[in-house]
Amino acid sequence: MVPKIVVTGQLPEPALRVLGEAGEVWVAERALRPDELRERVAGAAALVTMVGDRVDGSVAEAAGPGLEVVANVAVGYDNLDVKALSARGVTVTNTPGVLTEATADLAFGLLLMVTRRLSEGERLLRSRTPWNFSLGFMLGAGLQGRTLGIVGLGQIGRAMARRARAFGLSIVYSGRNRAPAEVEAELDARHLPLDELLRTADFVSLHCPLTPQTRHLINADTLRTMKPGAYLVNTTRGPVVDEPALAEALATGVLAGAALDVFEKEPEVEPRLLELDNVVVTPHLGSATVETRTEMALLAARNVAAVLAGEPPLSAVTA
């Protein structure tokens, strides 16, 4: 029998060709509700998922014993119950590496946008508000000689640090594990406990995975710990930040600004954040280049093809 492959979102044509050679492909035209996903996955050998899909044991059960692989088109996999899937013999894969540079580009772009008030300035012009140049007009914050704190010095965090070094920033970082000595030397990066990093850094960029330990890592208490006048950038996962607490800190001047590409209840955004001029928001664009999204989809498709052919996947996730 030809393996059934269910894809929960649109993929670039090169990835669809790879999947088409491995089985019979069905592609969702829109995001599926949980009940729709369970219905569609029945009898599938492979499931290609997007970051917004929640895939747990109930989905595997709905698929039946023939489900061999779930390929997540993302580097993060907090939307998958890896333990439940692995317990049923399902291989889980993700797409690491291919989105590192694109996400770091966006993270650093967000830092520039919020510190130099670029979105605010554009809104002013588009609203046709009268303005005149003066030395005190729309002043922002410079980067040179200041400190960037990176929470999670993995591949994307390191790429962010390299960009920051080119702009004259000093690097401090925190995380579960200390980086290798050669990485610290390359980036001239200093490891600090999180609370000390928050007290020290002028800008904080989040690059840690979403885990039970990092959910609401940035909350009312940690926000109060941050250096007065600091800025926060989040391009990792929305639930790492307590959005109502962040909105309060921004509205009351605890923080100078924040730039967010991810949100706790995507596609919804905390309404108070949208009312604040010192907030930059983008709709989960971290990996959104043609090249990067194509490579992500191709890696997911190649993982599916490998598993269905009885070969090891290129990028497996372990429980």
Side-chain angles (χ1 to χ4, degrees):
M1 293 181 61
V2 178
K4 175 182 175 180
I5 302 171
V6 172
V7 183
T8 64
Q10 298 297 308
L11 293 180
E13 186 59 34
L16 290 175
R17 285 199 297 270
V18 172
L19 292 174
E21 294 172 359
E24 180 182 343
V25 183
W26 180 87
V27 181
E29 296 182 356
R30 58 170 176 78
L32 299 175
R33 300 190 308 269
D35 61 313
E36 293 175 319
L37 176 59
R38 288 191 293 271
E39 179 181 350
R40 281 292 180 181
V41 80
L47 176 60
V48 180
T49 54
M50 308 299 148
V51 69
D53 299 313
R54 178 63 188 169
V55 180
D56 54 17
S58 69
V59 174
E61 184 176 347
L67 183 64
E68 296 185 49
V69 57
V70 173
N72 209 37
V73 189
V75 64
Y77 46 87
D78 47 275
N79 57 313
L80 309 180
D81 188 335
V82 179
K83 288 185 177 179
L85 294 169
S86 298
R88 289 170 167 78
V90 179
T91 298
V92 178
T93 70
N94 65 341
T95 60
V98 295
L99 50 72
T100 298
E101 301 301 328
T103 305
D105 283 348
L106 186 89
F108 202 83
L110 288 174
L111 178 60
L112 288 172
M113 287 178 72
V114 69
T115 55
R116 295 300 302 273
R117 302 173 67 179
L118 302 183
S119 293
E120 190 178 347
E122 186 188 31
R123 288 194 298 273
L124 181 142
L125 293 182
R126 289 187 180 277
S127 69
R128 293 173 169 77
T129 301
W131 66 282
N132 289 291
F133 175 85
S134 71
L135 291 183
F137 179 60
M138 291 199 69
L139 298 182
L143 304 185
Q144 292 75 22
R146 303 179 80 178
T147 299
L148 173 66
I150 295 178
V151 181
L153 199 66
Q155 292 186 32
I156 299 173
R158 295 174 193 181
M160 179 67 164
R162 288 194 294 272
R163 286 154 176 76
R165 292 288 294 153
F167 276 72
L169 284 153
S170 299
I171 307 298
V172 295
Y173 76 96
S174 67
R176 289 179 299 178
N177 302 305
R178 187 160 181 168
E182 60 270 22
V183 172
E184 290 189 347
E186 175 202 350
L187 302 174
D188 194 18
R190 186 161 51 100
H191 182 264
L192 295 176
L194 178 62
D195 58 347
E196 189 175 349
L197 178 146
L198 296 177
R199 289 194 298 267
T200 300
D202 300 290
F203 318 107
V204 175
S205 189
L206 304 176
H207 300 282
C208 53
L210 176 61
T211 66
Q213 292 73 36
T214 62
R215 184 175 294 273
H216 284 187
L217 182 71
I218 302 301
N219 53 49
D221 292 335
T222 50
L223 286 164
R224 283 191 292 268
T225 302
M226 291 180 68
K227 187 175 183 179
Y231 294 79
L232 179 71
V233 176
N234 187 17
T235 56
T236 181
R237 286 290 184 265
V240 173
V241 176
D242 181 338
E243 290 178 6
L246 175 62
E248 179 67 17
L250 290 162
T252 57
V254 173
L255 294 190
L260 311 170
D261 185 50
V262 289
F263 307 94
E264 183 162 13
K265 299 177 181 178
E266 289 185 16
E268 297 177 17
V269 180
E270 167 63 36
R272 290 185 64 192
L273 292 172
L274 300 177
E275 298 168 359
L276 298 169
D277 280 333
N278 57 346
V279 177
V280 173
V281 289
T282 51
H284 207 138
L285 299 179
S287 61
T289 69
V290 171
E291 300 84 357
T292 299
R293 291 279 172 89
T294 300
E295 287 301 315
M296 291 169 64
L298 275 170
L299 179 52
R302 289 167 180 156
N303 276 320
V304 167
V307 172
L308 295 185
E311 301 171 358
L314 284 72
S315 51
V317 172
T318 57

